[in-house]
Amino acid sequence: MSEQFLDLLKILFLIVLYFFFICVILITLFQLRKPKNPKIPKNAVRDRQHSQQVTLLQTLEPANLLGIEYPIEEEIFIGRAEECVITISDSFASHLHARIFLQDDSQYLEDLSSTNGTFINGKKIESPQILKCNDRIQIGDTVLEAK
């Protein structure tokens, strides 16, 4: 083979390699980005009028974590990752499983596209839901109650 052809193959290989690295970096950044405040369902706006302000979450299950309380801030993340305010050591929880955020003077619970889902009072949530007092949040085998 000629030297020019080999040089052309080297250049093409480097272009493909750089393209691959750029794709990996972009995908990684996309996965690590902070979620935007999503659109709130219309029925949640009606529920807001009847809800009380939730100030903390209390662990109900598993039994070895019973009674642990977590204050709710403007935005908290729940999951297995160490960066989460509420760290759950449950194999059914994702690293960033769910988040609670404040919007329009109400707290909302949002599932962050977790594998096993997030449940409020036994119902799987598909969109952000208003968090009300005495609501039970289930992530895997962990159950938290809003107070």
Side-chain angles (χ1 to χ4, degrees):
M1 284 193 217
S2 71
E3 253 185 72
Q4 291 176 341
F5 181 70
L6 290 176
D7 287 341
L8 181 63
L9 282 177
K10 287 179 191 177
I11 291 171
L12 287 174
F13 177 73
L14 287 174
I15 290 172
V16 169
L17 188 64
Y18 279 115
F19 179 74
F20 172 76
F21 284 129
I22 288 171
C23 287
V24 168
I25 290 170
L26 289 175
I27 290 170
T28 304
L29 289 175
F30 179 73
Q31 298 240 341
L32 293 177
R33 72 175 168 77
K34 186 176 180 180
K36 298 176 185 174
N37 282 349
K39 296 191 180 210
I40 307 301
K42 291 181 181 178
N43 61 347
V45 175
R46 276 183 275 137
D47 292 344
R48 183 185 324 147
Q49 298 166 352
H50 305 292
S51 65
Q52 295 177 342
Q53 193 76 359
V54 176
T55 57
L56 61 93
L57 295 176
Q58 184 177 35
T59 308
L60 299 178
E61 293 179 26
N64 62 333
L65 300 176
L66 181 66
I68 296 176
E69 295 181 344
Y70 303 96
I72 295 182
E73 302 162 5
E74 276 194 33
E75 179 177 61
I76 62 170
F77 288 90
I78 305 171
R80 288 192 334 228
E82 291 180 15
E83 305 87 45
C84 294
V85 173
I86 301 176
T87 305
I88 297 174
S89 57
D90 187 330
S91 60
F92 294 107
S94 301
H95 286 306
L96 288 176
H97 194 98
R99 78 175 177 133
I100 297 174
F101 62 95
L102 182 65
Q103 185 173 336
D104 300 329
D105 296 326
S106 293
Q107 283 98 4
Y108 290 86
L109 176 66
E110 175 185 24
D111 182 73
L112 298 177
S113 302
S114 63
T115 305
N116 296 312
T118 303
F119 297 82
I120 293 182
N121 300 323
K123 295 180 183 174
K124 186 174 183 177
I125 63 171
E126 302 295 332
S127 62
Q129 299 294 315
I130 286 186
L131 195 57
K132 298 176 281 216
C133 283
N134 300 320
D135 277 349
R136 290 189 177 205
I137 301 167
Q138 182 172 356
I139 296 174
D141 294 327
T142 305
V143 178
L144 304 162
E145 185 174 48
K147 300 280 184 179

